[in-house]
Amino acid sequence: MSYQVIARKWRPQTFEEVTGQESITQTLRNALEHDRLHHAYLFSGARGVGKTTTARLLAKALNCHKTDKPNILPCRTDDADACPSCIEISESRSMDVLEIDAASHTGVDDIRDTILEGINIRPARDRYKVFIIDEVHMLSKSSFNALLKTLEEPPPNVMFVMATTELHKVPETILSRCQEFEFRTIPLQKIFDRLRIIADAEKIEVDDAALKEIARSGEGSMRDAQSNFDQVISFSGEKISVADVTTALGLAGSEMLIKLLSAIAQKQPKTALDVVADLTARGQDLRNFCRDLLSLFRDLLVFKVSGGDEKLSESAALTPAELSEHAANFTESDLVRFFNSLAETETKLREATQARYVVEIGLVKLIEMRSVTAVETLLERIAGLEQRLSGGIPAAAAATQSASPPSGEKKTLNAAPAAKESEAFDQPESVSIEPVEVIANDRPDSVELPEFVEADLPRIDPEPDPSGSIQPKPEKTGYDLSFLDSLDLLPDIPSEDLEHADDEWLDNALDRKLIASGDDLRPLENASDLVALALNRRSQPDAGPSGGHSNGNASAAAPARETAVYTPPVFEPEAEIERPPLSAEPTEEELLAYANADRAVRATLRIFRGSIKEVRKR
């Protein structure tokens, strides 16, 4: 007899052997026992979790010949007294139980020939005629429509059992006519227990660590785990170790994962590159390695968030003690960033010509992320700066605020530095600035200005002419800008045709700058006196021999400097362009030609050296 793979050889023969779907099998057994059967069932779920197997078991229970009614304990194929119906259904060759692959029979003609034309024919031998439609979501829309009436009111003793891995592709009209059962992925421990039963029966020597790696490779699918077990047996024989599993399946063992976690935690990129080199030398699939690392980051995050709940991390490659040890090196934000970055790397591997380079750069990127400052820390710093600035305290001065004198202490400003600065403006000696007393507090409310006497200010006398007559001081000649009135740069454009964009950031830029410099934006007291003082300083002439107070220099006042008249540019006249007519539904080319003919548009483009990017009809 030819070899039969483990997945087919150890397919469940009874409802009790279906692993991980106890609620579904219990519901079906109760329906069989109490004769509450529905005429259409829809099984959905991931691959390899028991959908087709359960459909066959239901067909066997309906047609088992050991009882005169449906039997909740159908025959096993290895029983000596197994009935022909159970044996034929298990081997997929029963005349009354038809298994249809909807992936290869998608058209309405296939549904008509296989189901509709023979549905009214009574079963040849068994009690029920059962149609098992696998991958039912692959049927065409017309095929689903052809099934609607039959699925709603089928003939007596006819049952439909449909299975799909993509429930969202099944029309609502089909779902409403069926009882739905959602098959869940199988827990790791139950897959491990089932594989242990198979290993003991097949006399395979495998330790628990290696068997757990095989169970984990199934990712919740019993069939995938059994297929991987078969592959490892073919590689290593009847004695299996963890190294055999990682080599045969191309998995990264827990040692490699732990080594890489330590490299990320300790910021050692060379160690991470050594791991990739080792995996490449072994010929392992780097994409599978990325998936294993993604699963590990998920396990670390779940373990950390759940407070060490072992049920939520039972499928982890590491033990709870190892998860606790390595999760302490990272924060939740670190693990989320690692997962997102590595998921992007795994996506790039699908089309990468050099997978090793992509993985190496991705791992180095993870290590560099350890140097990134957390967002929470930055937000705290920004909040602290805003709090200081809102109170009128500059950020630079906040650090030295504790060293400032108490609020009741008075300090006197020294006027000597101010006098040195005033020499640049030839300030007369008669203008005296007395010391100003300022109350040292968080922010001075007012400044006491010195009182000025009119006699102390210098007189501004007109300069004498050599002939003896007093001539007024010549006025400075400025630029003649009268030519702007004659220029026609832009035509008059109505205000409603102009667009204005408000920018809150730019509008408030000056206020933010003043607040950052320590200005609380409150009105200044005695502002008029400050303006008068500034104007008097600017109006003082240079000292000369004709009068006024001198600072000791004998030089005469410098004459006023003549300013050259600005020569306006000359613009060549532009020829008028006749606007082309627009149709009711103008094309983009017509709109562009119309815009280029507009005088205002051409002038704007010439001044700002722009170009038209888009034209829209209003």
Side-chain angles (χ1 to χ4, degrees):
M1 184 176 179
S2 60
Y3 174 75
Q4 193 174 20
V5 297
I6 290 178
R8 295 184 60 186
K9 182 179 180 180
W10 289 90
R11 184 186 292 270
Q13 299 290 323
T14 62
F15 287 113
E16 288 79 4
E17 294 180 2
V18 179
T19 305
Q21 313 298 340
E22 289 78 11
S23 60
I24 297 176
T25 56
Q26 182 65 34
T27 303
L28 294 176
R29 290 177 63 185
N30 292 339
L32 290 168
E33 185 176 1
H34 300 290
D35 195 16
R36 300 183 62 88
L37 294 170
H38 200 269
H39 59 269
Y41 291 93
L42 179 61
F43 297 161
S44 63
R47 67 187 187 278
V49 293
K51 299 185 297 296
T52 305
T53 297
T54 305
R56 290 181 181 178
L57 290 176
L58 180 59
K60 287 172 61 176
L62 290 171
N63 296 322
C64 183
H65 291 178
K66 283 188 175 182
T67 58
D68 55 357
K69 63 178 183 179
N71 185 11
I72 62 175
L73 297 174
C75 304
R76 296 179 56 90
T77 55
D78 53 359
D79 291 342
D81 57 345
C83 67
S85 177
C86 291
I87 294 176
E88 292 177 2
I89 294 174
S90 298
E91 296 175 356
S92 300
R93 55 184 181 89
S94 175
M95 295 179 59
D96 295 325
V97 178
L98 302 179
E99 294 191 21
I100 304 170
D101 180 18
S104 56
H105 299 80
T106 61
V108 65
D109 294 334
D110 298 323
I111 297 299
R112 184 184 300 111
D113 297 339
T114 308
I115 299 177
L116 300 181
E117 292 184 357
I119 196 171
N120 291 317
I121 302 176
R122 294 181 59 83
R125 178 189 58 191
D126 298 335
R127 302 186 191 93
Y128 286 86
K129 178 175 285 189
V130 182
F131 294 94
I132 300 176
I133 307 177
D134 203 3
E135 302 299 332
V136 68
H137 65 273
M138 297 295 291
L139 291 179
S140 63
K141 183 178 181 180
S142 56
S143 299
F144 280 122
N145 293 333
L147 277 176
L148 290 179
K149 185 61 178 178
T150 303
L151 199 62
E152 185 176 4
E153 297 178 357
N157 299 331
V158 173
M159 179 177 291
F160 289 91
V161 182
M162 295 173 284
T164 177
T165 56
E166 301 182 31
L167 181 62
H168 62 280
K169 293 185 178 181
V170 181
E172 293 290 340
T173 52
I174 297 294
L175 298 177
S176 63
R177 290 166 169 81
C178 303
Q179 279 191 6
E180 299 180 36
F181 290 92
E182 184 177 357
F183 285 67
R184 302 175 179 86
T185 54
I186 305 173
L188 176 65
Q189 187 60 41
K190 293 186 177 181
I191 297 178
F192 175 83
D193 295 338
R194 183 66 175 174
L195 293 181
R196 173 55 66 188
I197 294 175
I198 296 174
D200 295 340
E202 296 289 336
K203 297 181 180 179
I204 303 297
E205 184 179 349
V206 53
D207 54 10
D208 291 344
L211 202 61
K212 184 178 180 181
E213 288 292 330
I214 298 174
R216 187 173 62 87
S217 67
E219 298 179 352
S221 172
M222 180 65 74
R223 184 176 63 229
D224 290 2
Q226 291 176 347
S227 299
N228 292 338
F229 190 24
D230 217 345
Q231 181 178 347
V232 175
I233 293 174
S234 300
F235 173 78
S236 61
E238 298 181 354
K239 188 175 182 179
I240 301 175
S241 63
V242 176
D244 296 332
V245 175
T246 56
T247 303
L249 301 181
L251 302 176
S254 57
E255 296 180 359
M256 285 290 184
L257 296 176
I258 292 176
K259 186 177 180 180
L260 186 58
L261 281 179
S262 301
I264 296 175
Q266 300 174 8
K267 300 181 181 180
Q268 297 176 347
K270 182 180 182 303
T271 305
L273 297 179
D274 291 339
V275 171
V276 178
D278 192 1
L279 294 174
T280 305
R282 297 181 184 181
Q284 295 187 0
D285 189 355
L286 293 180
R287 191 174 178 187
N288 287 339
F289 166 71
C290 283
R291 291 173 179 173
D292 292 338
L293 193 56
L294 280 173
S295 177
L296 180 58
F297 285 147
R298 175 264 174 196
D299 296 333
L300 289 173
L301 180 60
V302 171
F303 188 86
K304 194 175 186 67
V305 171
S306 62
D309 190 350
E310 298 183 5
K311 293 182 180 179
L312 296 177
S313 56
E314 64 177 0
S315 60
L318 305 182
T319 63
E322 292 173 336
L323 288 175
S324 177
E325 177 184 355
H326 293 283
N329 298 328
F330 309 102
T331 63
E332 291 84 349
S333 300
D334 291 337
L335 296 174
V336 171
R337 287 197 298 268
F338 293 164
F339 187 92
N340 292 332
S341 178
L342 192 61
E344 182 180 355
T345 301
E346 193 271 340
T347 303
K348 293 179 181 178
L349 287 176
R350 300 176 184 176
E351 301 178 356
T353 56
Q354 295 290 342
R356 177 176 179 176
Y357 302 161
V358 176
V359 174
E360 288 177 340
I361 297 301
L363 294 181
V364 172
K365 184 178 179 182
L366 295 183
I367 297 175
E368 291 298 324
M369 284 184 178
R370 296 283 291 163
S371 302
V372 176
T373 304
V375 177
E376 293 79 5
T377 303
L378 296 178
L379 292 177
E380 291 178 359
R381 295 179 182 176
I382 294 175
L385 290 175
E386 291 179 348
Q387 184 177 4
R388 293 171 182 173
L389 294 177
S390 62
I393 305 175
T400 59
Q401 184 179 7
S402 59
S404 60
S407 58
E409 182 180 351
K410 293 185 178 181
K411 296 184 67 177
T412 302
L413 299 180
N414 189 1
K420 292 182 180 180
E421 294 179 1
S422 64
E423 292 178 2
F425 299 98
D426 296 332
Q427 179 175 327
E429 295 178 353
S430 60
V431 179
S432 60
I433 301 179
E434 298 295 332
V436 181
E437 293 185 355
V438 180
I439 303 300
N441 50 17
D442 292 341
R443 183 66 183 167
D445 294 333
S446 62
V447 177
E448 297 181 4
L449 297 177
E451 296 182 357
F452 295 93
V453 182
E454 184 177 359
D456 296 335
L457 296 177
R459 292 183 58 190
I460 302 176
D461 298 328
E463 299 180 1
D465 188 79
S467 59
S469 61
I470 298 176
Q471 300 292 337
K473 187 174 182 180
E475 297 181 357
K476 294 183 178 180
T477 304
Y479 291 114
D480 184 9
L481 303 179
S482 60
F483 72 93
L484 292 177
D485 298 334
S486 61
L487 293 180
D488 191 7
L489 299 179
L490 285 176
D492 294 335
I493 302 177
S495 59
E496 58 269 12
D497 292 342
L498 299 176
E499 294 185 2
H500 174 72
D502 293 331
D503 193 321
E504 184 179 356
W505 189 89
L506 289 176
D507 294 341
N508 300 329
L510 178 60
D511 293 345
R512 291 196 304 272
K513 189 69 175 178
L514 293 175
I515 293 175
S517 64
D519 195 336
D520 57 5
L521 305 182
R522 290 185 295 180
L524 294 176
E525 295 185 2
N526 304 325
S528 57
D529 297 335
L530 290 175
V531 173
L533 175 61
L535 293 177
N536 288 332
R537 290 185 180 180
R538 292 301 181 92
S539 61
Q540 295 170 6
D542 296 333
S546 59
H549 296 271
S550 174
N551 58 358
N553 296 329
S555 60
R561 179 179 300 174
E562 295 290 340
T563 305
V565 179
Y566 177 74
T567 303
V570 179
F571 295 97
E572 296 182 359
E574 189 175 28
E576 292 291 338
I577 301 177
E578 183 179 358
R579 294 186 182 179
L582 287 178
S583 59
E585 296 294 335
T587 63
E588 185 176 355
E589 290 77 9
E590 293 176 350
L591 291 174
L592 185 60
Y594 186 86
N596 285 321
D598 187 88
R599 183 163 166 264
V601 173
R602 288 187 285 107
T604 304
L605 296 179
R606 182 178 70 252
I607 293 173
F608 296 102
R609 300 179 182 178
S611 60
I612 299 177
K613 298 298 183 182
E614 181 182 1
V615 183
R616 296 192 301 268
K617 181 181 178 182
R618 298 181 59 181

